[in-house]
């Protein structure tokens, strides 16, 4: 089984450390998504894999073959860039066939392969057009076609959808996933959009400041975030994080917003964070109410409404399902949540495993 | 009221443009007119000049004079090779400045800018000494080699290359291109517009160049057209007819190039100033 492996890879630009000690593996069926805010080093990792940057330290293996010294052209990777990077002076046909021409393939074979790819990507009508005559989605498909022309060992996507409009983005998302699955090529996909990460990847690597925060399935990073960064970065609206302390296995919110009995005995602690996802908070009857607050503002998104409330200068949110009636701004409300839905993080923001669940 | 104001504004703008055009075009018109008239009429007043008979005699005589073809040939050879040199060498320097991360690049670029600031006349005497030392007086070397790479050309091509997205070259690299293949297959074809603009500028300025060919040549057979024309200005008299016929002829490639490539020339003037 084909496998790409990074071992303790670091990269510095001048004095600035872009990525630090990155290790992970990507296998044949994997669509591995690197996700993180701008400047977290995700594109640098991709460029190192492509060979466009040399790592300061660490090793890159493809099936036990060391890739560090192999030039980009010989690695046989297919890369799709954010701005498509099509060759503007060439037609769609020439663009898709370019990697094959450069690698001195037979003309007949090139024609056959280009037509095969064009059919696969619905570009057969556009083969004689120049990139400037194409729409954004078509350009993206040409970039995809060029990337798969050489039957690459690995697929690299650098935020390929960020220049497309919202509707097209959703369509292209599915197209890319289907293509990767059909070709069974290890794929690495870089994005800053956590929705894209959750929907496309089967393995997600969350990055911050050049370091891996968590590697896991979409389910893992959403339901068992390794730290407060992952907890707040993945999921929209972001997870509510309440600061507080634990006395006798009871969590006390620092500004006395609420207290909650923890399901397991936990050591007393002066500083600790409790996270609750907005969809786990709900408007409760007076009897069930755990925290009382006032509606600050709301966002109507059609199938639900996101309601915001403020507490000591910080904004928290919860999701009101479509069928519930919406409280007015300034109205007093009582909220509650299930103890099973909480996430606990220590004073350094690291997850505390509640082994009960 | 507002409509009337808009009309007046438009009227005055157009009037100004017409006046400026007349001022610019009149010398050209005057040149053509004089080139088509014979000796005594050239000295008569404007209206009798305008309505006197036209003749191509001056052109025929200019071409029949000994070395007119040689002057044209010299001008063409000089302009052609300087243009070729500029396109090749300015591109090589500019590409390196725009894309390679050599430590010395910043210094070289500042030097290029500094050289752009120095007026050509300042280097006239040292350059003349150099040409004399190389025994290049009265040779094509003197007319071509000092100008085969110009700081302005380097600057212009560098600015152009910088605005080509780097990802296009990186993508070619990933596709398997070597550095030279990237230059040949991607960067050169994409730089065609800047080559055309640079080529036109350099060709025209060398076709019209007078000062240095005048200094570096003293044999009649090595003269370029503008230098040769200057010799129609005698000490005692000026041969207006032949001078104007020669000048009109030398203006021809300029006009022709401009008409053919005006789209690129205007694009070149504003290149880098506007977002594509």
């Amino acid at each position: 089984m084909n496998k790409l492996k990074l071992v303790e890879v670091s990269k510095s630009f001048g004095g600035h450390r872009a990525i630090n000690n990155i290790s992970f593996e990507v296998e044949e069926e994997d669509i591995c998504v690197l996700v993180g805010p701008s400047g977290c080093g995700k594109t640098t990792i991709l460029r190192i894999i492509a060979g466009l940057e040399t790592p300061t330290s660490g090793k890159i293996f493809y099936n036990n073959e060391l890739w560090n010294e192999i030039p980009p052209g010989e690695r046989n990777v297919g890369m799709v860039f954010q701005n498509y990077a099509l060759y503007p002076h060439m037609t769609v046909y020439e663009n898709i066939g370019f990697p094959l021409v450069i690698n001195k393939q037979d003309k007949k074979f090139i024609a056959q392969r280009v037509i095969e790819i064009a059919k696969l990507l619905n570009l057969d009508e556009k083969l004689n057009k120049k990139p400037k005559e194409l729409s954004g989605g078509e350009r993206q498909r040409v970039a995809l076609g060029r990337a798969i022309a050489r039957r690459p060992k690995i697929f690299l996507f650098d935020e390929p959808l960020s220049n497309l409009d919202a509707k097209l983005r959703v369509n292209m998302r599915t197209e890319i996933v289907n293509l990767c699955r059909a070709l069974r090529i290890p794929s690495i996909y870089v994005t800053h959009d956590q929705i894209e990460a959750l929907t496309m990847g089967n393995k997600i690597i969350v990055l911050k400041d050049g370091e891996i925060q968590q590697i896991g399935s979409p389910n893992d990073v959403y339901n068992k975030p390794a730290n407060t960064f992952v907890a707040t970065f993945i999921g929209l609206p972001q997870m509510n994080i309440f600061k507080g302390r634990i006395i006798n296995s009871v969590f006390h919110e620092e500004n006395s917003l609420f207290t909650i009995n923890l399901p397991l005995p936990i050591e007393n602690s002066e500083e600790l964070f409790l996270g609750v996802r907005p969809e786990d908070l709900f408007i409760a009857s007076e009897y069930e109410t755990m925290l009382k607050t006032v509606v600050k503002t709301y966002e109507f998104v059609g199938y639900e409404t996101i309601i915001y409330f403020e507490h000591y200068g910080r904004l928290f949110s919860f999701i009101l399902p479509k069928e519930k009636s919406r409280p007015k701004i300034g109205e007093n409300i009582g909220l509650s949540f299930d103890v099973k839905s909480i996430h606990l993080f220590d004073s350094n923001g690291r997850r505390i495993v509640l082994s009960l669940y | 009221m507002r409509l009337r104001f808009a009309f007046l504004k438009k009227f005055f703008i157009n009037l100004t443009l017409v006046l400026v055009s007349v001022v610019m075009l009149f010398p050209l018109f005057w040149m053509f007119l004089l080139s088509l008239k014979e000796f005594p009429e050239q000295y008569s007043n404007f209206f009798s000049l305008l309505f006197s008979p036209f003749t191509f005699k001056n052109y025929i005589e200019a071409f029949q004079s000994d070395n007119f073809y040689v002057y044209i040939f010299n001008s063409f050879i000089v302009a052609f090779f300087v243009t070729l040199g500029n396109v090749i060498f300015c591109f090589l320097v500019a590409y390196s400045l725009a894309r390679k991360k050599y430590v010395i690049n910043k210094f070289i670029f500042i030097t290029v800018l500094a050289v752009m600031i120095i007026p050509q006349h300042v280097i006239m005497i040292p350059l003349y000494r150099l040409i004399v030392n190389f025994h290049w007086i009265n040779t094509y070397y003197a007319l071509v080699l000092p100008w085969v790479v110009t700081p302005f050309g380097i600057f212009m091509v560098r600015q152009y290359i910088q605005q080509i997205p780097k990802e296009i070259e990186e993508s070619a690299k990933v596709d398997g291109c070597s550095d030279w293949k990237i230059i040949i297959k991607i960067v050169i074809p994409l730089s065609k517009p800047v080559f055309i603009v640079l080529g036109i500028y350099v060709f025209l300025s060398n076709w019209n160049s007078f000062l240095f060919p005048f200094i570096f040549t003293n044999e009649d057979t090595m003269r370029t057209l503008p230098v040769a024309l200057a010799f129609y200005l005698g000490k005692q008299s000026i041969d207006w007819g032949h001078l104007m016929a020669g000048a009109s002829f030398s203006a021809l490639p300029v006009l022709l190039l401009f008409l053919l490539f005006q789209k690129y020339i205007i694009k070149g003037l504003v290149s880098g100033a506007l977002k594509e």
Side-chain angles (χ1 to χ4, degrees), chain A residues 47 50 52 72-74 77-79 81 83 85-90 98-99 101-104 146 150, chain B residues 101 164-178 181-182 184-190:
Chain A
R47 291 171 61 84
L52 296 170
E74 288 169 33
V77 298
M79 188 159 177
F81 290 83
N83 57 4
L86 298 177
Y87 309 126
H89 56 298
M90 296 183 195
F98 186 75
V101 173
I102 286 300
N103 290 285
K104 300 195 176 87
R146 189 180 58 189
R150 268 214 288 175
Chain B
K101 288 175 188 162
I164 298 175
K166 235 180 168 174
E167 287 86 351
I168 293 181
E169 287 169 61
E170 286 176 343
S171 163
K173 212 174 188 178
V174 172
D175 285 343
C177 283
S178 63
K181 261 192 187 157
I182 293 175
I184 293 163
K185 296 259 180 195
I186 309 292
V187 186
I188 290 180
L190 288 182

Side-chain angles (χ1 to χ4, degrees), chain B residues 66-211:
Chain B
D66 302 335
N67 288 326
F68 202 75
Y69 288 106
V70 178
Y71 306 146
I72 294 172
F73 177 76
N74 287 345
S75 269
F76 180 77
I77 289 292
V78 170
F80 176 77
F81 281 103
V82 172
T83 305
L84 190 72
N86 263 281
V87 169
I88 296 171
F89 297 118
C90 290
F91 171 74
L92 290 177
V93 180
Y95 181 76
S96 167
L97 286 178
R99 286 292 194 248
K100 298 288 165 185
K101 288 175 188 162
Y102 304 128
V103 185
I104 201 168
N105 270 7
K106 209 172 174 184
F107 172 75
I108 292 179
F109 184 61
I110 291 170
T111 314
V112 168
L113 287 182
V115 174
M116 264 172 82
I117 298 164
I118 300 172
Q120 281 201 332
H121 307 85
V122 173
I123 59 161
M124 200 161 69
I125 293 169
L127 192 61
Y128 181 75
R129 293 292 319 155
L130 211 64
I131 299 287
V132 170
N133 286 343
F134 286 159
H135 303 291
W136 280 358
I137 293 290
N138 278 324
T139 62
Y140 286 124
Y141 296 132
L143 301 180
V144 173
L145 289 183
W147 327 110
V148 284
V149 54
T150 50
F152 171 71
I154 295 173
F155 181 73
M156 188 159 121
V157 181
R158 175 190 175 265
Q159 298 306 97
Y160 187 85
I161 292 174
Q162 269 189 335
Q163 50 126 33
I164 298 175
K166 235 180 168 174
E167 287 86 351
I168 293 181
E169 287 169 61
E170 286 176 343
S171 163
K173 212 174 188 178
V174 172
D175 285 343
C177 283
S178 63
D179 280 3
W180 276 107
K181 261 192 187 157
I182 293 175
I183 290 176
I184 293 163
K185 296 259 180 195
I186 309 292
V187 186
I188 290 180
L190 288 182
S191 304
K192 213 171 73 190
V194 79
F195 290 157
I196 292 175
V197 174
L198 178 68
I200 291 166
Y201 280 136
V202 175
F203 189 90
L204 295 186
S205 55
N206 279 278
W207 177 262
N208 287 329
S209 153
F210 170 75
L211 183 65

